[in-house]
Amino acid sequence: IATYFLAKTWVLKGYRKICTRRRWSWLRAEHEITTSAYKTGTCTLTKGSAAVVAGTLSFVSTDVWRQLQTTGLPYTIIATSGGNATLDRPYGGPSGSPTAKVLDAFAIMPEDFGSPIVAGDPNSDTWLNIWTTEQELNVWDPQRSETGQPRHLVSQRINANGRVCYELWPYAHIAYTFPLLYSKTPTEPSPDSFFLGTLRDRVDLIVLSALIEACEWPGTGTEKNPYFNLANADRKKQELKDELMDLETRDEEIYMTWLETVS
């Protein structure tokens, strides 16, 4: 008596639960965060307006999604035209023609980005700190005046294109490249899609997860679900738990995460 759409919801829910259980090897991906050299000059800004008029600082198409900073938190450039620019929000400072910088303060993550795993810094042979919070950064440098080689990758915002952005701090004034390993957001499976990694041969686990939902669904107000059985649901939950542990062990053989360091 369950509709197609309800059954589909159970299948998708099971798939998402499995995908978010751990950092599976098939959801790992690589990316490079890059910064370009900054440029500086004067421009005209009006309090309450997102329009920027070029002065000695002129804006080009490659400046879109870079940041404009006078003092304090920077603004993101979302459009350019005729040397002028449009910001992502109205300018809040006093009207005038201050000296400003165009730089890469925020890193735009890939469309399928889920969460960072590790970000490297080949220049210093170290890692960027990915656990720094925006609150900590606001205490350390509320005006964002510190510049130099970035040491922190700070979760920040969703931009106007719906992409995840992270703040690179201190702000870089020269070109850098930071290799990034991240977990992808799983795409919704379709009848034409195929599964990767260790899940490829265990699609039955998605079905098992959906059957648990079916066991826990009592039915509608007029029709009872004959498959409704909470005790059976508990048994299937334990079965799924055991099978997923085995799947995790097999995935660990592909990409080890349980043992992080060896002394």
Side-chain angles (χ1 to χ4, degrees):
I1 62 173
T3 66
Y4 164 80
F5 295 103
L6 181 57
K8 180 181 178 181
T9 299
W10 291 340
V11 170
L12 291 178
K13 184 177 180 180
Y15 175 65
R16 293 191 191 103
K17 280 185 175 180
I18 292 174
C19 286
T20 57
R21 183 179 173 92
R22 65 173 263 131
R23 295 186 186 272
W24 298 100
S25 60
W26 72 82
L27 288 177
R28 291 171 177 263
E30 295 177 351
H31 177 65
E32 286 188 341
I33 298 171
T34 59
T35 65
S36 299
Y38 86 118
K39 59 183 183 180
T40 186
T42 60
C43 58
T44 300
L45 295 159
T46 303
K47 185 178 178 65
S49 173
V52 186
V53 179
T56 59
L57 180 61
S58 184
F59 303 92
V60 295
S61 60
T62 53
D63 291 330
V64 174
W65 302 120
R66 300 189 78 192
Q67 282 66 51
L68 177 75
Q69 184 187 34
T70 53
T71 58
L73 289 171
Y75 297 79
T76 295
I77 300 166
I78 60 173
T80 61
S81 178
N84 303 321
T86 302
L87 305 178
D88 62 334
R89 63 188 190 277
Y91 178 65
S95 299
S97 300
T99 298
K101 295 184 288 188
V102 173
L103 73 168
D104 294 309
F106 300 141
I108 300 177
M109 296 303 174
E111 287 188 60
D112 61 357
F113 179 83
S115 61
I117 297 175
V118 66
D121 181 359
N123 302 289
S124 60
D125 221 10
T126 57
W127 305 108
L128 294 180
N129 188 332
I130 63 174
W131 305 113
T132 304
T133 66
E134 185 182 1
Q135 289 82 356
E136 289 175 315
L137 191 51
N138 288 339
V139 172
W140 299 341
D141 187 11
Q143 294 299 316
R144 300 301 194 271
S145 58
E146 186 169 340
T147 60
Q149 187 168 307
R151 302 186 303 275
H152 300 264
L153 188 64
V154 185
S155 178
Q156 181 59 235
R157 64 186 66 186
I158 304 293
N159 72 10
N161 269 1
R163 299 279 288 275
V164 176
C165 294
Y166 274 64
E167 191 170 2
L168 279 165
W169 183 86
Y171 291 169
H173 278 184
I174 62 175
Y176 286 107
T177 298
F178 303 100
L180 171 71
L181 181 65
Y182 70 96
S183 286
K184 297 188 292 183
T185 298
T187 57
E188 183 175 304
S190 68
D192 298 325
S193 65
F194 61 94
F195 298 103
L196 302 174
T198 50
L199 189 60
R200 179 181 54 197
D201 301 321
R202 295 306 313 268
V203 180
D204 59 299
L205 297 184
I206 301 174
V207 177
L208 179 57
S209 182
L211 289 176
I212 293 171
E213 297 289 333
C215 286
E216 294 179 330
W217 183 61
T220 67
T222 57
E223 290 186 86
K224 302 301 181 183
N225 176 16
Y227 198 67
F228 175 63
N229 187 318
L230 295 181
N232 193 28
D234 288 339
R235 287 192 293 270
K236 289 184 180 299
K237 284 180 181 177
Q238 185 59 51
E239 179 185 354
L240 179 62
K241 180 180 178 181
D242 294 341
E243 293 293 342
L244 285 175
M245 283 297 297
D246 177 67
L247 194 68
E248 287 186 4
T249 301
R250 290 171 55 197
D251 196 66
E252 192 71 15
E253 294 172 353
I254 296 174
Y255 200 106
M256 184 178 294
T257 61
W258 292 345
L259 184 63
E260 295 183 349
T261 59
V262 177
S263 58

